[in-house]
Amino acid sequence: MTPSSTLETLRTDKRIVIAATVIIGIALAVLPFIIGSGLGNSWLRILNFALLYIMLALGLNIVVGFAGLLDLGYIAFYAVGAYLYALLASPHFGLHLPVWVIIPAGAALAGIFGALLGAPTLRLRGDYLAIVTLGFGEIVRIFLNNLNAPVNITNGPQGISGIDPIHLGGFTLAKPISLLGFTLPSLHAYYYLFLALALFIVFVTIRLENSRIGRAWVAIREDEIAAKSCGINTRNIKLLAFTMGASFGGVAGGLFAGFQGFVSPESFNLMESVMVLCMVVLGGMGNIPGVILGGILLTILPEIFRHGSGPVQLAIFGKILLDPEALRMLLFGLALIVVMLYRPAGLWPSTTRRREFRGDSTNDELKAGE
Amino acid sequence: MSSTLLEARAIDKHFGGVTALRDVSLTIRQGEIYGLIGPNGAGKTSFFNVLTGLYHPDGGELIFAGEKLQASAPHKVARLGIARTFQNIRLFGNMTAMENVMVGRHVRTHAGVFGAVLHDRRTTREEAAIRRRAEELLNYVNIADRADDLARHLSYGDQRRLEIARALATDPKLLALDEPAAGMNGTETASLRELIEGIRKDGITVLLIEHDVKLVMGLCDRVAVLDYGEKICEDVPSLVQKDPKVIEAYLGGSIA
Amino acid sequence: MDIFIQQIINGLVLGSIYALVALGYTMVYGIMGLINFAHGEVVMIGAMVALTVIKLLANSGLPVFVIILLALAAAAVVCMAVGFSIERIAYRPLRNAPKLAPLITAIGVSIVLQNLAMLIWGRNYHAFPPILPTSAHDVFGATITTLQVAIVLIAALMMAGLIVLIHRTRLGRAMRATSENPSIAQLMGVNINQIISITFIIGSALAAVAGLMVSANYSIAHYYMGFMLGLKAFTAAVLGGIGNIAGAVLGGILLGLIESLGAGYIGDLTGGFLGSHYQDIFAFFVLICVLIFRPSGLVGEKVSERA
């Protein structure tokens, strides 16, 4: 290929990239209006939750997908961000700090919690790490549940309600925003805010992935001893993974509290950690688009089952035979099993991972036998 | 005479009741190729692991380039300038050959989270330098054409070469190779030999553990022999070959 | 003093149940290196089936002993079938897949079993019919019921049986060989698939017994009961050193003791700051401490990383 034709392909490539970016951008911009008018506000709320889960999944992906550290208590960091927001912006303590203070503070505090969890567990590997992180998540939840006596900090199992909605520059996102004769409904405003932060987190993750730090994470996942011998301070780099991952969770948690207006320990149980982990693994561990896909699917799928399981039964049997809630989770569990059986590397594995699956099977067996 | 690069003083290492190394002292000079041989289980790899900080020695100390090596801190050892390869190759299997070598640059570069996210001038320049150096090294070990392949998909010989390139990426003063010729055929061994000689010519001291006695004797300036965790001989190859203790260790080993 | 002894007794009873469940986790982990996340749900299924049979036969006039035995048999058969199917459907196809894939299918199976139970038995708590003897005995000022004595004895008997099976029989030897090195065991003529199936079946039978014990001890069963129980039992297995049979027993009993003593004394220890609802924290807190100081569990082998 001559240099000029190479340049030509590059230029068209770039044009394709720009075109794709513009199309995706427009699609993301009009999405809430399509969903809002087509499916109604409940689906718009679900869309917003999908964005929160994408942030969580991307945070956990740093720990599990990049650094290879299995974390089953990740939701604790979401809880830290959410409760910090709830305590600093609600009638509970009478504090009403602005959002631009609370969200960064939530990210920082969650990051500190991440380091606190990481520090003692650095020597642990695989399943031991999984169970300790699981225990950590439960401890946080149990404390949230019980820190209402003797001093009432978290208001116990009742949770904290009446949380301030997110305010931005004099506007509250809880009410429709009128600007220049154009009215933006509350759910739409939240959507754009969440979208902006989710995109920011995607950006940060991509930059990290292709950096000295990102390579060090993957090196640790692949072979910790070799990583050490290459001069990587595995302790610090792992702590960094825990801290970064946790801070994403803290951001998402703060947004959740402001959006929902109410937090209680029930929102942060082990099942939620498991859910986020499923998003990461089912989507395609370590691969950013895969993880985003996992976040969207696992938020929407249970909702489709929820909305579908009642009416479909009515249509077929003429009455509701089976508890729709149980049926929905049953289908969800089956979907998890089926997807993993047919795509064990996830729905959208990174190209490297996919190559691994086409690759020599002998190495896989060796890996499995270790 | 050239100066001392590494001095091991009376290294001891036990595993439970088993003695892996007993009172091992040796001196490696700047710029030489130093061979470490001995029958299976003589403690060669244990010595490597103590040297590179993976094992904590039970006694003795290591002085490298005038500094005392801190035990159990492999990353600090790498920073001081000791790089190694492993007997059973340890690459980052799901990273490309290129990325493997780039990881080797970690210890000589500085970009942190903020640099990675903000892409400031210093970081982009550093990243470009990392990539350039990695390309050079892949060229140097003759596997540039495999740069974008996953490390696990490389042939055995190429994996060995990649591991050496990754080690060289840390800018070592001492390169420790653990049985680099294991499993190689004659041609591959010959080109490996050229590679090692080239590395020495570039001013890097080489410590070589090897089973292939012919390779060791032809390549090394000096050789130490370990047997049952003790050093029984240290000299130039021609004299080591004639040492009765060495002959006995090898023959005795093969009879038992 | 009698509170102390009472808590010890309660802890032993609870611990015996944990130990039985922990054995299921540890056996599977020992052989396949896999956390069978769904094991807690097998215990729940066992409890539900046993309870259903007992309710059906409670007024049949059969002797209590026979009713319990029939319930146990039914629970064991169902659990064994469930355990066998879980492995065949969700784990076997993924034996060479990336490590987290079977964890996700295990979670999927767990969700399916839980909601299946909810569809079959509903959302309500099921009370255990009052057919068991309620006589209590006095031990150093504390009381222990006949049921509690029976739980501890039966659990001990089953654990002893399992240890004999593993160390004294051909099957046990094949199991140990498989856990040591599956490919070599296969070369030596061990049918690995069969051994793994049998491991799941044995673990599930123990789970059925444990399920009946839990529901009898607390006089209640619920579709959600398997979750926390499974979590605790897994904690116990890790505490003892996962993969190690004796470790699971030790870990289970220790965890039971720690929990009941912790719940009994946490108020005094913290000057009333923390109450007994922090009981669950103890399990995890102790686990984290143990793992930090002895990462391979209490009786796990110290696996030093070989370079």
Side-chain angles (χ1 to χ4, degrees):
Chain A
M1 207 183 279
T2 61
S4 67
S5 75
T6 319
L7 214 66
E8 194 54 48
T9 10
L10 257 182
R11 213 173 280 151
T12 38
D13 271 352
K14 206 154 204 180
R15 245 180 268 151
I16 292 171
V17 169
I18 291 170
T21 312
V22 169
I23 291 171
I24 292 173
I26 293 172
L28 285 176
V30 299
L31 189 63
F33 292 97
I34 297 171
I35 287 188
S37 56
L39 294 164
N41 277 347
S42 66
W43 278 98
L44 202 49
R45 283 183 68 81
I46 294 165
L47 181 67
N48 286 346
F49 272 106
L51 288 169
L52 290 178
Y53 277 112
I54 287 172
M55 296 181 211
L56 286 175
L58 284 170
L60 184 61
N61 181 51
I62 290 185
V63 183
V64 180
F66 291 167
L69 305 163
L70 183 50
D71 183 349
L72 281 178
Y74 183 69
I75 211 69
F77 307 124
Y78 189 51
V80 167
Y83 266 87
L84 188 73
Y85 189 106
L87 295 176
L88 296 183
S90 75
H92 183 59
F93 286 151
L95 293 171
H96 298 280
L97 298 186
V99 67
W100 54 266
V101 172
I102 306 176
I103 298 287
L109 187 67
I112 292 170
F113 266 76
L116 277 181
L117 164 67
T121 56
L122 287 171
R123 280 167 53 206
L124 303 175
R125 307 179 54 91
D127 303 319
Y128 287 99
L129 181 65
I131 191 75
V132 170
T133 50
L134 187 155
F136 173 82
E138 285 297 292
I139 287 177
V140 168
R141 189 182 60 82
I142 293 169
F143 267 102
L144 292 177
N145 223 344
N146 294 298
L147 275 182
N148 51 346
V151 187
N152 187 0
I153 301 172
T154 64
N155 208 25
Q158 288 87 33
I160 298 172
S161 50
I163 299 171
D164 300 349
I166 295 176
H167 292 261
L168 280 179
F171 294 103
T172 164
L173 300 197
K175 294 191 188 105
I177 296 172
S178 295
L179 200 64
L180 307 169
F182 180 76
T183 308
L184 191 63
S186 164
L187 283 171
H188 295 59
Y190 272 111
Y191 168 82
Y192 290 118
L193 175 68
F194 289 4
L195 180 68
L197 282 162
L199 287 175
F200 173 71
I201 284 180
V202 170
F203 170 79
V204 169
T205 315
I206 291 175
R207 280 278 166 98
L208 281 174
E209 186 187 23
N210 301 306
S211 74
R212 173 175 175 267
I213 302 291
R215 284 191 297 271
W217 282 333
V218 178
I220 290 174
R221 177 190 82 196
E222 292 292 310
D223 190 326
E224 192 169 341
I225 289 191
K228 279 182 189 168
S229 294
C230 283
I232 293 172
N233 184 338
T234 52
R235 187 194 58 201
N236 291 357
I237 296 288
K238 280 184 185 177
L239 272 183
L240 190 61
F242 273 116
T243 310
M244 287 301 298
S247 66
F248 290 5
V251 171
L255 297 175
F256 167 73
F259 178 53
Q260 190 83 342
F262 167 71
V263 293
S264 79
E266 266 320 290
S267 309
F268 310 106
N269 58 32
L270 176 68
M271 202 54 217
E272 288 291 310
S273 287
V274 165
M275 207 66 169
V276 180
L277 181 70
C278 287
M279 292 171 184
V280 173
V281 178
L282 191 115
M285 237 175 47
N287 187 35
I288 295 167
V291 170
I292 294 173
L293 177 71
I296 296 172
L297 273 185
L298 290 200
T299 315
I300 290 178
L301 210 56
E303 298 300 331
I304 292 177
F305 290 149
R306 185 209 302 275
H307 288 260
S309 57
V312 170
Q313 283 191 59
L314 273 179
I316 299 177
F317 307 115
K319 59 178 174 177
I320 291 187
L321 284 174
L322 301 171
D323 183 341
E325 178 63 20
L327 189 61
R328 138 184 121 97
M329 288 311 286
L330 189 73
L331 290 172
F332 176 69
L334 284 175
L336 278 186
I337 299 170
V338 170
V339 171
M340 283 332 278
L341 287 182
Y342 288 97
R343 296 199 61 102
L347 289 168
W348 191 345
S350 64
T351 42
T352 22
R353 295 240 139 200
R354 215 168 325 131
R355 257 184 281 161
E356 171 188 348
F357 273 82
R358 276 194 269 110
D360 41 344
S361 60
T362 44
N363 260 348
D364 284 327
E365 275 156 30
L366 282 177
K367 265 256 151 81
E370 265 172 16
Chain B
M1 200 67 230
S2 52
S3 61
T4 300
L5 180 64
L6 175 81
E7 193 182 351
R9 290 183 191 152
I11 301 292
D12 279 318
K13 178 72 199 168
H14 315 282
F15 292 105
V18 185
T19 303
L21 296 169
R22 180 181 299 148
D23 201 24
V24 174
S25 299
L26 42 85
T27 311
I28 299 176
R29 296 179 198 134
Q30 183 72 50
E32 72 180 346
I33 298 181
Y34 188 96
L36 191 58
I37 62 170
N40 273 329
K44 300 175 304 251
T45 296
S46 294
F47 180 79
F48 252 47
N49 288 341
V50 169
L51 171 66
T52 51
L54 288 175
Y55 289 171
H56 200 295
D58 298 312
E61 55 180 10
L62 289 157
I63 313 289
F64 178 73
E67 279 189 70
K68 194 171 178 300
L69 285 185
Q70 201 184 335
S72 304
H75 66 276
K76 289 185 185 161
V77 173
R79 179 173 300 280
L80 282 174
I82 300 179
R84 71 170 291 177
T85 66
F86 294 87
Q87 189 176 337
N88 26 5
I89 307 172
R90 300 190 85 127
L91 289 166
F92 308 122
N94 288 312
M95 297 175 94
T96 63
M98 183 73 174
E99 287 167 336
N100 267 271
V101 184
M102 288 170 85
V103 171
R105 292 302 297 160
H106 182 93
V107 71
R108 302 291 167 220
T109 46
H110 310 282
V113 169
F114 291 105
V117 174
L118 300 176
H119 265 200
D120 58 312
R121 275 250 308 278
R122 226 185 93 200
T123 311
T124 41
R125 229 183 290 150
E126 184 182 277
E127 189 70 14
I130 291 173
R131 190 167 285 278
R132 214 165 37 240
R133 180 79 182 122
E135 276 165 8
E136 275 169 28
L137 284 166
L138 286 174
N139 256 322
Y140 185 81
V141 300
N142 264 328
I143 51 170
D145 52 327
R146 308 298 306 269
D148 294 327
D149 287 333
L150 290 192
R152 59 187 304 178
H153 293 158
L154 263 50
S155 73
Y156 186 78
D158 286 352
Q159 290 195 355
R160 288 256 176 237
R161 288 169 170 275
L162 177 56
E163 220 189 2
I164 292 175
R166 186 182 69 188
L168 287 174
T170 66
D171 292 345
K173 296 191 183 88
L174 175 69
L175 177 64
L177 303 172
D178 196 347
E179 297 199 22
M184 283 190 173
N185 62 31
T187 344
E188 285 172 324
T189 308
S191 72
L192 176 74
R193 185 182 164 151
E194 264 173 53
L195 179 63
I196 296 174
E197 274 172 344
I199 291 169
R200 187 253 295 270
K201 243 178 237 137
D202 294 339
I204 296 169
T205 310
V206 178
L207 168 61
L208 182 67
I209 291 184
E210 195 41 77
H211 261 310
D212 188 332
V213 177
K214 220 175 80 191
L215 179 71
V216 173
M217 295 304 173
L219 194 58
C220 296
D221 303 306
R222 288 188 312 136
V223 175
V225 186
L226 287 183
D227 190 28
Y228 293 109
E230 288 185 72
K231 188 181 81 175
I232 55 173
C233 177
E234 180 183 25
D235 217 322
V236 295
S238 54
L239 292 179
V240 165
Q241 274 172 306
K242 291 183 194 131
D243 190 299
K245 271 192 280 181
V246 176
I247 293 166
E248 157 140 24
Y250 271 88
L251 289 181
S254 64
I255 289 165
Chain C
M1 198 57 199
D2 48 344
I3 290 180
F4 179 74
I5 292 175
Q6 190 65 56
Q7 297 295 0
I8 295 267
I9 290 172
N10 294 346
L12 274 179
V13 174
L14 190 59
S16 310
I17 298 171
Y18 284 158
L20 275 187
V21 183
L23 282 171
Y25 281 104
T26 229
M27 283 166 66
V28 168
Y29 190 91
I31 288 197
M32 298 175 73
L34 169 98
I35 304 175
N36 179 12
F37 210 84
H39 192 60
E41 308 308 331
V42 179
V43 179
M44 176 272 294
I45 300 272
M48 290 308 225
V49 170
L51 198 60
T52 309
V53 172
I54 290 173
K55 272 187 179 168
L56 279 175
L57 300 177
N59 299 319
S60 65
L62 288 169
V64 171
F65 177 71
V66 176
I67 294 177
I68 295 290
L69 221 55
L70 285 174
L72 201 55
V77 169
V78 172
C79 285
M80 284 151 103
V82 169
F84 175 79
S85 320
I86 291 175
E87 192 269 328
R88 286 303 284 267
I89 296 168
Y91 300 150
R92 187 169 298 183
L94 293 173
R95 222 174 273 166
N96 290 322
K99 226 185 152 203
L100 284 183
L103 185 68
I104 302 296
T105 51
I107 290 167
V109 167
S110 187
I111 294 174
V112 166
L113 288 179
Q114 223 177 70
N115 289 283
L116 211 55
M118 189 158 118
L119 287 177
I120 298 174
W121 287 289
R123 290 161 180 275
N124 300 326
Y125 287 83
H126 294 260
F128 201 92
I131 58 163
L132 296 171
T134 48
S135 54
H137 315 272
D138 197 76
V139 189
F140 302 113
T143 51
I144 182 166
T145 63
T146 309
L147 174 66
Q148 288 179 314
V149 175
I151 287 177
V152 174
L153 283 182
I154 294 172
L157 213 63
M158 302 214 57
M159 289 183 251
L162 184 70
I163 288 172
V164 169
L165 175 84
I166 285 175
H167 288 279
R168 290 274 184 278
T169 66
R170 228 177 105 80
L171 173 66
R173 200 182 318 136
M175 288 168 79
R176 278 181 291 142
T178 309
S179 99
E180 200 64 43
N181 188 330
S183 32
I184 301 230
Q186 197 155 28
L187 287 176
M188 296 295 141
V190 175
N191 181 343
I192 300 210
N193 286 334
Q194 199 185 6
I195 293 298
I196 290 176
S197 286
I198 291 175
T199 305
F200 270 83
I201 289 173
I202 295 176
S204 304
L206 295 178
V209 178
L212 177 59
M213 285 177 174
V214 182
S215 55
N217 193 36
Y218 294 107
S219 303
I220 219 162
H222 185 229
Y223 80 96
Y224 201 64
M225 66 188 272
F227 181 73
M228 206 41 166
L229 184 67
L231 207 61
K232 296 274 182 64
F234 180 59
T235 304
V238 175
L239 189 64
I242 194 157
N244 186 313
I245 299 285
V249 175
L250 182 70
I253 290 174
L254 261 179
L255 191 69
L257 288 174
I258 290 165
E259 263 193 37
S260 60
L261 287 176
Y265 288 100
I266 185 168
D268 297 338
L269 283 176
T270 58
F273 182 71
L274 302 177
S276 62
H277 22 262
Y278 284 93
Q279 177 181 0
D280 288 344
I281 275 189
F282 264 86
F284 298 117
F285 186 71
V286 167
L287 174 84
I288 290 175
C289 290
V290 167
L291 285 184
I292 286 164
F293 294 109
R294 253 197 90 83
S296 48
L298 290 174
V299 287
E301 290 160 47
K302 187 128 178 59
V303 204
S304 75
E305 190 123 19
R306 304 237 78 193

